[in-house]
Amino acid sequence: MIEFQTQPQSLEIFQQMGKMEHEQLLFCNDKATGLKAIIAIHNTVLGPAMGGTRMWNYASEEDAIKDVLRLSRGMTFKSAIAGLNIGGGKAVIIGDARTQKNEALLRRFGQFVNNLSGKFWTAEDVNMTSQDMEYIRMETPYVTGISEGLGGSGDPSPLTAYGVYMGMKSAANKVYGSDSLKGKKIMVQGAGNVGSNLIDLLVKEKANVSVSDIYEDKIENITKKHAKIKVVKPDDVYDADMDIYSPCALGGTINDDSIRSMKCKIIAGGANNQLEDEVAHANKLNALEILFVPDFLINSGGIMNVYYEKEGNYNKEKVMAQTEKIYDICTSVLDHAKASKISTNEAALQLAMKRIEAIGKLKLTH
Ligand code: NAD
């Protein structure tokens, strides 16, 4: 079993970096703009580290460090299992995006990214927009997720949703013997960028879709488009009658409380870090015979999108074809988990690590 604490408890920085096997942590400070940012480079065996930049008003510096360490590690496995030649990284800017984010601060951050000379590539994440990415790009070329109008790949969410749809079909094939989602009761939690694109695909396939969101306008947008979908109150999601639960909102929704209520057969959604505890909750789902499709695998369509933009030969059809492969990768992971009698999450981690180890050995011969 892979020993790892999802949420590091103490903060001895080198100890945590050692435990989670990070390569580098860069603290960026600038008095003039007020910038305080952290760039974490987890693993660059497969290629330069890549991961979004998020801006968040963390309660403490310790929380920011924990977040960037955890998120950058996740990126390593996401890219590895998706077959991409990039490593894992992530950046966090500490502060309130509504009041502290401005051109100067973002451009100063861009200079720090540039100083890494391409060892770290970034993209949009929570509280960042395409416009923000364009400010960062004024100082560094190591940015992706630029708007389509400027020659970039644009919003990655439709690709992320398409990958989730593929992974869900792969899981349905395992559980029901057919990958058709027609008539399946699917609960989509979160009608944001990923959730609403996923709902479009599910409705097209005539699935029996329910949706939940904490904001009325999100519900209105989606029900205006798809009048037949059922709306479920946020507190009633886990008790709902569903075959498939699709978390497309925030992380940590799979925990002791929610698992107690869940009667679904499959969990397949786009949110990052769905398991509150990576080991304990994965094992619990396994014991209950609820098939969990690992989040870092099923939501890798978005990173595929920005990866091809980074490579400079972006082509939507090619990325769609690549995203479709999530179906087969999921099948391999689910088969490996069953054969090895381990959780699906651990199976996905093992396959990702196996690829990193194998490619790492290749590089030794250079
Ligand atoms: P988003 O902000 O557009 O959508 C999230 C939605 O969830 C919002 O509408 C929000 O109101 C809703 N929500 C929040 N808490 C909720 C709750 N308790 N119950 C129901 N709804 C709730 O974000 P997004 O881009 O759609 O991303 C969704 C998830 O997928 C995130 O966890 C994100 O990290 C992950 N993800 C997104 C991408 C991408 O391409 N956008 C790629 C990989 C992973």
Side-chain angles (χ1 to χ4, degrees), residues 174-191:
K174 287 280 164 227
V175 173
Y176 301 108
S178 158
D179 67 13
S180 170
L181 298 173
K182 188 175 172 188
K184 292 282 174 289
K185 286 172 274 181
I186 305 175
M187 162 62 63
V188 179
Q189 183 183 41

Side-chain angles (χ1 to χ4, degrees), residues 63-113:
D63 283 357
I65 297 168
K66 284 178 184 172
D67 206 29
V68 80
L69 288 175
R70 195 177 50 97
L71 291 165
S72 54
R73 175 183 177 270
M75 291 309 297
T76 295
F77 300 124
K78 186 181 296 207
S79 295
I81 201 149
L84 307 177
N85 291 322
I86 41 175
K90 198 88 182 183
V92 296
I93 298 177
I94 301 170
D96 185 341
R98 282 163 303 174
T99 56
Q100 288 169 267
K101 194 169 71 172
N102 57 53
E103 179 184 349
L105 177 131
L106 292 167
R107 289 182 65 170
R108 186 70 186 101
F109 173 70
Q111 291 173 346
F112 281 106
V113 172

Side-chain angles (χ1 to χ4, degrees), residues 190-191 212-219 234 250:
S212 181
D213 202 288
I214 49 172
Y215 291 114
E216 202 47 49
D217 60 325
K218 300 277 183 171
I219 292 292
L250 301 182

Side-chain angles (χ1 to χ4, degrees), residues 126-138:
V126 176
N127 282 331
M128 300 292 279
T129 64
S130 313
Q131 173 64 65
D132 297 333
M133 290 296 118
E134 281 150 30
Y135 287 138
I136 295 171
R137 198 173 65 147
M138 287 176 188

